[in-house]
Amino acid sequence: MDFLISAAHAQEGGTAGGGMIEFLIMILIFFAIMYFLIIRPQSKRAKEHRSMVESLSKGDEIVTNGGVAGTITEVGENFIKVDIANGVNIAVQKQSVQQVMPKGTLKDL
């Protein structure tokens, strides 16, 4: 009957689990994926927003994070004044500007 039963199941098995090197390689791969999928694109978007905020000037047509559209009438250190209707000006923080619109966009509204 010995020829029907494999003798391999009676032998000692090797150690289960990998070593420390395999663990470190997996951690490094995980951090590399996190860097390329999350950290790098976010820092790129932040850099683009920072340069857009620094380049704001009088006469630019903008949209704020709250959805308010208007034309910049005055640029200060931290705040800008935005004309949202004839004679209606509001002050908003520079950082709240979401997008600079092409010239003439607000005339269509």
Side-chain angles (χ1 to χ4, degrees):
M1 232 16 182
D2 195 27
F3 62 93
L4 294 177
I5 301 173
S6 173
H9 75 304
Q11 294 177 355
E12 270 189 43
T15 59
M20 188 62 137
I21 293 176
E22 290 85 5
F23 177 72
L24 290 176
I25 290 172
M26 290 300 292
I27 294 294
L28 288 175
I29 290 172
F30 175 74
F31 281 117
I33 290 171
M34 293 293 287
Y35 174 76
F36 285 109
L37 292 180
I38 297 173
I39 298 170
R40 188 171 179 229
Q42 177 62 29
S43 63
K44 187 177 181 180
R45 279 191 299 271
K47 185 177 180 182
E48 290 172 356
H49 185 261
R50 200 169 30 251
S51 68
M52 185 262 307
V53 167
E54 290 172 357
S55 69
L56 291 175
S57 63
K58 184 178 177 180
D60 286 346
E61 296 177 358
I62 61 158
V63 176
T64 66
N65 288 333
V68 176
T71 305
I72 297 176
T73 58
E74 186 180 326
V75 179
E77 183 72 27
N78 294 320
F79 290 91
I80 57 175
K81 296 230 176 158
V82 181
D83 183 27
I84 58 174
N86 290 336
V88 180
N89 289 324
I90 60 172
V92 296
Q93 286 184 332
K94 281 182 158 183
Q95 295 297 321
S96 69
V97 175
Q98 178 182 1
Q99 182 178 6
V100 176
M101 305 296 287
K103 298 279 184 187
T105 302
L106 297 179
K107 294 186 194 281
D108 296 337
L109 298 177

